[in-house]
Amino acid sequence: MSAVLKPKSKLIVCDGNEAAAWAVAAARVEMVAVYPITPQSSLVEYLAKFVADGRLAAELVDAEGEHSVLSVLQGACLAGARTYTASCGPGVAFMFEPYVRTPGLRLPIVMGIVTRDLLTPQSVWGGQQDAMSVREAGWIQVYCESVQEVLDTTIMAYKIAEHRDVMLPVNVCHDGNYLSFGAARVELPDQAEVDAFLGEKDVNWHVALDPRRPMAVDPLTGGAVGSGPATFVRYRKGECSAMQNALSVITEVHEEWGRRFGRTHAPLVERYRMQDADYALVTIGSMTGAAKDAVDAARERGEKVGLLKVKTYRPFPVQAVAAALAQVKAAGVVDRSVSFGWNCGPLFQDVIGALYHAPRRVAAMSFIGGLAGADITTGHFDEAIRRVAELAQGAAAGGTVWLNEKD
Amino acid sequence: MGAFETISFRPENCNGCNDCMIACAQAKAQSDDAARSRIQVLSSDGSYELAMCRQCGDPECVHNCPAAALSKDAESGVIDWDASKCVDCLLCTVGCSYGGMVYDVDAGHVAKCDLCDGDPACVKACPRGALKFLTTARIYNEVGNLEDLFVPGLAGCQGCNTELIIRHAMRRIGPEAVVATPPGCIPGMGTVGYNGLTGTKVPVFHPLLTNTASMLTGVRRYYKRIGRNVKVVALAGDGGTADVGFQSLSGAAERGEEMLFICVDNEGYMNTGMQRSGCTPYGAWTSTTPVGERGRGKTQDAKNLPLLMVMHHCAYVATASTGFMEDLYDKLDRAIEASEHGFAYLHVYSPCTTGWRFPSDQNIEVSRKAVRTNFVLLWEFDPQSGLRLTHAAEDPLPLAEYVMALGKYRHLSEEQIAHIEGTIAQNVKFVKGLAAGVPLAAAPA
C-alpha cells in the first residue's frame, strides 16, 4: 500500500469496525439492518450512531436476529436500495438460509464479516472459520489486511457488486479482535470523490418488487420435465460466469481506486518480495503484517523467501496464484481456519488446487494458526519459514502444522 | 344488476315470541297489533315459518300490477309500493308465493316490507338471533367490479378455501402492493408461477418460509423512504406464521413495521403432505400425528396465534372466516387501513378439504360450523378499542356438528371430544374476559 494524501481527504484514528462504518456512510448506503454480535458489535453501534448523528442518511432496522437482518436487506434491495450489514461467527451461521439465497437473486448486497471462530468449543474470539464455512455459497469474499484496507475495500465492494457483469453480493472480511479493535491512522476519502467513483447505484434493474414493474420474483423452477431443468441450469451457470467476471472487475475497480485516491491495494493477490524467491508463505487477512515482518527478517539473514497474500478468496484467483507460485520450489499456506475432512486449512486446499495449473509441481504444506484469537507472531512465522525452507530442499511435507498447539 | 341486502330467518332460533311482529307493527302502522306487521312468523308443526316480502329479483307482484304501483328499486333492490298509483286490485297478492303482499284491513291497502331503509326494526327486536339483516350484497356490489389480481386457473385443490381468501383479499388491497407468499399452498397453487410464468398480476415473490415479515420490512421501509406508498402484504400459511416464521413475524410486529400479514390457517402443513403444525388442534389426524393402535391424533392443543399477536400491541389484529364474508370484509378494510401506520395481522381460518378429509362442496358449511360451535371465535382488536367479539359466542351448536363433519376427527373418543369442549370453554372465557377488559392503550402502565 502506498499513500498520497488527497487535498480534501481527512485523517482520523479509528479501528476496523469504525472504518467499515465510515465506508458505509461514504457509499451513501440507504438501508442498514443490524444485529449485534461480538466482535462485530461496535461496528453496528457506529452505524446506529452515524444514523443518529445524521452522518449516515440510511434507514436503520434493528432486527431481531441475523436471519432477519439479511432478509430485510433482500427486500430493500429488491425495492431498489443500496444496503449494508455485518455479522460474524454464529450470526453468519444463523443467517445461512437467506445468505445462500442472496447470490441466486443476484442482489449486490455488501456485508462485512468481522471474522470469528465458530462454535464449539465456545469462543468469542477471532478466527476465519465463519467466513470460510460459507465460501462455497456464491458470495464474493475479500479479506483485508489493514484498517485502511477495510475502509477502502468496503467502498469498492459496492462498485464490484453492482457491476452489471457481476451482480453478486460481497463479503468484506476483516479479522475479529485484530482489525475490529486495532486502531490505526486512516485516511477518509473525499465524499465528492467517492460519489464520482461509485456513480449512481444500480441494484435492481434485473429483478424488482415494484408495482410499476410487476413481476414474479423467483418462481419455481427445476423438476425433471418441461423448461424447469434448463431454466435452473441457466441461472446457476450465470452465477458461475458472474463469479469469474468478478476477477477482472475487482482488478479494474482496485486500479481505478488507486488512480482516484492515490492509494493502491492489490486486488486479487499481493506478491511481497517474490521476485527471486525460492519458497514462499501464502497468507490471508491481518496475519499478513506479521508474516511480512518475518519475511523481511529472513531476507536479512539471506534466505530467499517471499510472500503471497490472497485478498480475493472467492472467486479464487487460480491463475494469479498459480503464476505467482510457479517459480518457487515450495509454498507454506497459513490458514486461520480448518477444513474438516481434509485435515488442513481451506486456503491450502485452494492453493494446491491452483498449483495444478502451474507448469511444474510445487511442494506445499499446510499451517493452521490464530484460531480462537490466538496470536500468530513473527516467531510462529519464523518457524513456518524454516519448515518451508526444508520443504524446498526436498524434505517431506508431513502433516498439517498447528502453530499455536503448544502456546 | 347488482346484489341486494335481505333478511334471513333461522327457524331453529325462533321461539315464536312475536317481538319482531310487534316491532314492525309499531314502526309501520303505529299499532301494537301483530296482525298489522309486514313480517309474519307462523307456527307450523312445532317449527316456525316466515311470511314476508323477499324483495325478489324477478318479482311476480310487479309483473301482476296493472297500475305500475309496484317497482323494484335498482339501487336498494327494495320493491317499492306507490300508494298514489295503487288501485287496490290485490292482483299482487295473487302473484306472491311468500306471503309478502298482504291486505292491511285497517289501512285499506296492501302493505309490504320496505326493509326500513336498511335498518329493519324486526331484526333489532329479535332477541334470539333468528332474524338477521344480510348485507353481503355490499361485497358483490362493491368488490365485484374490482380486478381479481390472480390469474384464472390457480391449481388449488377442488373447493379450496385459501384460494377464495387470497382472491378476495387482493381484490380489496388493490394493485399498488407487493405480495409475499412463503412456501405452502399459496405459491404451491401457482401464485408465484412456474418456470418464468407468474400467477399474480402484482409484484409477488417467494420469501423463505422463515423470513416473510423481514423481507416485507425492507420493501416497505425503502418505499416509504423514497416517498412511495406501496402496500406490503403477506399471504402465509400457519406454518410460515406460527412455527418457523414466528421469529421474523414477532420482530416485525414488535417494531411496528407497516404491513398487512394475513395468515391463512389450515391447521397444518397441508401443501407438503398434511403434517402437524403448532396450529393443528388437539386430537386432529395429520400425517405426523397418525391414528393407530396407540396414536390418537395430536396430543397438544393449538397455539393461539392471534392472541399472541394482540400481545405485540399490533395496530390491528382480527380473526375471520369465509363463512362470514361481511365480517371478513369489514376486518380486511380495517386491517388495510391499519397497515398504513402499523402492523396489521389477520388470521383467517381455512378449512382444507384435502387435509381435513371432507367433501369439496362443504367448505363454507364447515367454516360456518367452526364458528357456530365456538371452535373458532371471531373477534377484532386494536389498542384504542381493545378486543371485541364480532360473532356472539352464546348458544353455540354442539361441537359434534363440527368435528363429525371432518375426517380428521373421525377417530375421536368421547374423552377427546370432552377435552376439546373443555379447551373451547376456556378459550371462550378467556377471550370474553379480554373483551370485557379495558383497552390495552388505556391500561395503566
Side-chain angles (χ1 to χ4, degrees):
Chain A
M1 188 189 87
S2 63
V4 179
L5 200 60
K6 283 270 179 175
K8 289 183 201 162
S9 60
K10 189 175 141 192
L11 282 178
I12 61 168
V13 173
C14 71
D15 63 23
N17 281 356
E18 185 177 350
W22 280 107
V24 172
R28 298 193 188 278
V29 169
E30 297 162 297
M31 179 79 73
V32 173
V34 295
Y35 188 82
I37 180 168
T38 303
Q40 158 264 34
S41 299
S42 66
L43 199 167
V44 303
E45 290 166 10
Y46 283 119
L47 290 169
K49 183 171 182 350
F50 285 6
V51 171
D53 291 347
R55 185 170 287 147
L56 168 59
E59 278 288 306
L60 178 78
V61 179
D62 278 301
E64 80 295 337
E66 291 88 350
H67 192 288
S68 281
V69 158
L70 199 50
S71 305
V72 167
L73 297 191
Q74 287 181 355
C77 193
L78 285 164
R82 185 176 272 173
T83 55
Y84 180 82
T85 191
S87 190
C88 65
V92 174
F94 181 42
M95 67 165 61
F96 187 67
E97 194 190 18
Y99 182 91
V100 295
R101 196 186 190 203
T102 311
L105 288 166
R106 306 296 294 273
L107 300 179
I109 292 170
V110 174
M111 169 178 139
I113 300 183
V114 189
T115 59
R116 166 179 163 174
D117 241 311
L118 276 185
L119 312 180
T120 220
Q122 190 69 238
S123 165
V124 294
W125 314 110
Q128 294 173 347
Q129 196 69 43
D130 50 3
M132 289 291 167
S133 294
V134 292
R135 66 190 184 277
E136 303 298 353
W139 286 60
I140 291 170
Q141 283 194 343
V142 288
Y143 289 71
C144 299
E145 179 185 343
S146 67
V147 173
Q148 183 74 61
E149 194 173 15
V150 172
L151 194 154
D152 296 351
T153 306
T154 303
I155 297 171
M156 283 192 276
Y158 287 96
K159 185 138 184 160
I160 297 162
E162 294 174 14
H163 194 288
R164 288 209 171 188
D165 292 343
V166 179
M167 294 306 291
L168 287 171
V170 177
N171 283 146
V172 179
C173 306
H174 68 262
D175 286 316
N177 300 94
Y178 291 90
L179 291 180
S180 65
F181 305 144
R185 165 190 174 281
V186 297
E187 184 187 327
L188 278 183
D190 174 54
Q191 184 64 56
E193 193 70 23
V194 173
D195 291 344
F197 169 74
L198 285 180
E200 286 294 308
K201 71 170 176 193
D202 193 17
V203 300
N204 71 340
W205 56 274
H206 61 306
V207 58
L209 289 171
D210 184 348
R212 291 177 190 164
R213 281 194 285 157
M215 65 174 82
V217 173
D218 209 9
L220 196 65
T221 65
V225 293
S227 64
T231 304
F232 189 93
V233 169
R234 196 166 71 242
Y235 274 91
R236 267 290 179 274
K237 212 175 152 195
E239 277 181 75
C240 289
S241 301
M243 262 293 192
Q244 293 313 302
N245 295 343
L247 287 168
S248 57
V249 171
I250 290 168
T251 303
E252 287 162 18
V253 168
H254 278 68
E255 284 170 2
E256 188 186 343
W257 180 272
R259 285 197 304 277
R260 281 185 182 272
F261 298 96
R263 196 165 51 242
T264 58
H265 303 279
L268 306 177
V269 294
E270 178 189 347
R271 300 176 188 219
Y272 184 77
R273 306 193 79 160
M274 284 292 285
Q275 190 122 31
D276 60 343
D278 283 338
Y279 52 95
L281 293 179
V282 182
T283 61
I284 185 165
S286 66
M287 70 167 82
T288 306
K292 285 175 177 171
D293 286 348
V295 166
D296 289 345
R299 281 281 180 175
E300 282 180 24
R301 294 194 300 269
E303 296 172 35
K304 293 174 86 172
V305 59
L307 181 147
L308 186 70
K309 178 185 90 168
V310 174
K311 175 171 186 180
T312 298
Y313 184 59
R314 285 293 180 272
F316 194 72
V318 173
Q319 298 305 331
V321 169
L325 294 178
Q327 62 177 49
V328 300
K329 299 188 183 80
V333 183
V334 189
D335 271 278
R336 202 167 194 137
S337 58
V338 306
S339 167
F340 297 105
W342 273 69
N343 193 30
C344 65
L347 178 60
F348 175 74
Q349 275 183 316
D350 287 295
V351 168
I352 59 173
L355 286 175
Y356 183 80
H357 297 268
R360 59 182 182 79
R361 188 174 181 279
V362 177
M365 64 184 294
S366 172
F367 297 89
I368 290 173
L371 304 187
D375 279 332
I376 317 180
T377 62
T378 49
H380 290 112
F381 284 115
D382 289 344
E383 170 66 7
I385 289 169
R386 190 182 66 76
R387 294 290 298 267
V388 182
E390 289 173 5
L391 185 65
Q393 285 156 19
T400 291
V401 177
W402 297 76
L403 293 175
N404 304 104
E405 195 175 10
K406 293 172 183 168
D407 288 358
Chain B
M1 184 190 284
F4 303 111
E5 295 166 343
T6 189
I7 292 171
S8 74
F9 177 60
R10 297 180 66 197
E12 65 270 26
N13 282 16
C14 180
N15 67 351
C17 70
N18 286 1
D19 285 0
C20 56
M21 292 155 64
I22 304 289
C24 181
Q26 287 173 344
K28 297 297 177 189
Q30 292 75 46
S31 162
D32 290 333
D33 180 3
R36 299 198 62 191
S37 168
R38 297 164 186 194
I39 177 171
Q40 293 292 327
V41 175
L42 310 167
S43 176
S44 167
D45 295 333
S47 182
Y48 296 94
E49 289 180 10
L50 183 71
M52 73 181 297
C53 175
R54 302 304 204 263
Q55 322 292 349
C56 294
D58 185 21
E60 281 299 316
C61 56
V62 174
H63 298 320
N64 283 5
C65 179
L70 287 166
S71 61
K72 187 167 179 70
D73 186 284
E75 281 295 311
S76 67
V78 170
I79 292 167
D80 288 325
W81 171 69
D82 185 344
S84 67
K85 293 180 181 169
C86 182
V87 295
D88 296 325
C89 68
L90 303 188
L91 280 174
C92 54
T93 65
V94 178
C96 182
S97 49
Y98 299 107
M101 300 295 292
V102 293
Y103 184 66
D104 182 333
V105 179
D106 292 317
H109 285 302
V110 289
K112 69 172 294 297
C113 170
D114 60 4
L115 294 180
C116 297
D117 291 329
D119 188 21
C122 56
V123 174
K124 286 190 285 187
C126 178
R128 296 168 57 85
L131 292 172
K132 194 175 175 204
F133 188 52
L134 297 181
T135 55
T136 319
R138 179 178 69 90
I139 297 165
Y140 180 88
N141 292 334
E142 289 181 20
V143 184
N145 292 329
L146 298 176
E147 186 180 8
D148 185 346
L149 294 173
F150 292 104
V151 299
L154 291 179
C157 300
Q158 193 175 44
C160 176
N161 204 315
T162 293
E163 183 178 347
L164 185 70
I165 293 166
I166 64 173
R167 284 188 189 275
H168 276 279
M170 284 313 300
R171 273 172 185 256
R172 194 48 143 182
I173 290 162
E176 199 60 18
V178 168
V179 180
T181 67
C185 293
I186 298 169
M189 68 176 76
T191 53
V192 194
Y194 298 99
N195 292 322
L197 300 173
T198 181
T200 311
K201 300 177 191 173
V202 295
V204 63
F205 68 105
H206 275 125
L208 300 165
L209 191 53
T210 42
N211 72 354
T212 306
S214 303
M215 285 190 73
L216 289 178
T217 295
V219 175
R220 173 71 180 181
R221 287 264 200 127
Y222 180 68
Y223 279 120
K224 195 166 186 195
R225 174 189 168 87
I226 62 171
R228 283 178 60 189
N229 185 14
V230 174
K231 296 185 181 79
V232 297
V233 182
L235 301 173
D238 48 292
T241 307
D243 288 349
V244 77
F246 186 68
Q247 175 176 324
S248 60
L249 173 72
S250 175
E254 179 269 330
R255 293 191 303 271
E257 303 291 352
E258 295 166 359
M259 72 178 71
L260 169 53
F261 199 108
I262 299 178
C263 172
V264 179
D265 180 7
N266 55 19
E267 301 181 343
Y269 296 91
M270 296 309 163
N271 183 61
T272 194
M274 305 163 235
Q275 296 86 2
R276 164 207 198 276
S277 81
C279 286
T280 301
Y282 172 89
W285 169 91
T286 69
S287 59
T288 53
T289 57
V291 175
E293 203 163 298
R294 294 175 63 193
R296 306 303 296 168
K298 193 186 174 195
T299 54
Q300 304 86 8
D301 289 314
K303 77 164 82 169
N304 194 325
L305 195 60
L307 283 183
L308 277 169
M309 297 315 290
V310 168
M311 299 318 293
H312 282 72
H313 296 243
C314 294
Y316 185 74
V317 181
T319 63
S321 162
T322 49
F324 298 82
M325 286 304 280
E326 300 146 282
D327 183 64
L328 193 158
Y329 263 96
D330 284 346
K331 289 168 175 172
L332 199 51
D333 288 348
R334 286 188 197 114
I336 292 167
E337 195 275 329
S339 73
E340 300 274 322
H341 58 82
F343 197 94
Y345 178 80
L346 200 53
H347 193 100
V348 191
Y349 292 92
S350 181
C352 170
T353 56
T354 308
W356 297 14
R357 299 174 168 177
F358 62 89
S360 56
D361 63 352
Q362 295 292 303
N363 212 317
I364 299 303
E365 189 55 28
V366 167
S367 301
R368 282 199 195 102
K369 282 178 175 170
V371 173
R372 288 186 178 153
T373 56
N374 281 349
F375 190 87
V376 162
L377 296 178
L378 298 183
W379 51 261
E380 66 179 355
F381 164 86
D382 70 74
Q384 280 69 44
S385 318
L387 189 145
R388 180 177 78 89
L389 278 157
T390 58
H391 184 274
E394 278 73 27
D395 300 323
L397 295 179
L399 178 65
E401 296 226 4
Y402 177 62
V403 294
M404 288 303 123
L406 307 175
K408 69 172 175 175
Y409 292 126
R410 199 154 291 147
H411 59 280
L412 289 186
S413 65
E414 283 182 16
E415 290 76 20
Q416 284 179 299
I417 292 179
H419 175 103
I420 299 172
E421 284 171 336
T423 304
I424 290 173
Q426 275 182 346
N427 191 35
V428 169
K429 191 175 169 189
F430 189 74
V431 171
K432 278 187 173 175
L434 289 175
V438 289
L440 220 56

